[in-house]
Amino acid sequence: MNGQPEITEPEPLAGSGEFMDAVRAGQPFAVARDGHGTGEPVPPRRRGRFVTRAEFAATSRTAPGVCLDAFRADQDRTTEQGRRLHGQGRESAAPHHRPG
């Protein structure tokens, strides 16, 4: 597949954890089934790094301003669209009546 080491399905399961250690370390592999490439294992994303208050403040200084009224109106509009899409609009706020 991309010049990467190729492994077949049973190999990772039969190994002693070396395969998983290599994937976690970022080693690329091509996984094959019946001679055809089926995928590439990807290590889990690393958690985001901690940002200090000073770093956040420095970055925020160059961020664009936010109009709170426009932001709230946008949120209200989005919420109403979601309610309509899921049948939860104001008109359907009453309990559903089941004939019976």
Side-chain angles (χ1 to χ4, degrees), residues 74-87:
D74 185 48
Q75 294 298 303
D76 289 343
R77 197 169 34 257
T78 302
T79 302
E80 282 302 315
Q81 288 172 355
R83 286 183 181 146
R84 283 193 299 270
L85 285 172
H86 298 289

Side-chain angles (χ1 to χ4, degrees), residues 18 22 24:
E18 294 163 4
R24 183 174 288 132

Side-chain angles (χ1 to χ4, degrees), residues 7-20:
I7 59 170
T8 59
E9 281 183 88
E11 287 180 58
L13 301 176
S16 61
E18 294 163 4
F19 168 73
M20 293 301 215

Side-chain angles (χ1 to χ4, degrees), residues 29-51:
F29 287 93
V31 179
R33 181 183 217 181
D34 298 326
H36 302 288
T38 59
E40 299 175 5
V42 178
R45 279 190 262 172
R46 297 180 191 228
R47 296 190 65 151
R49 69 179 187 91
F50 176 76
V51 178

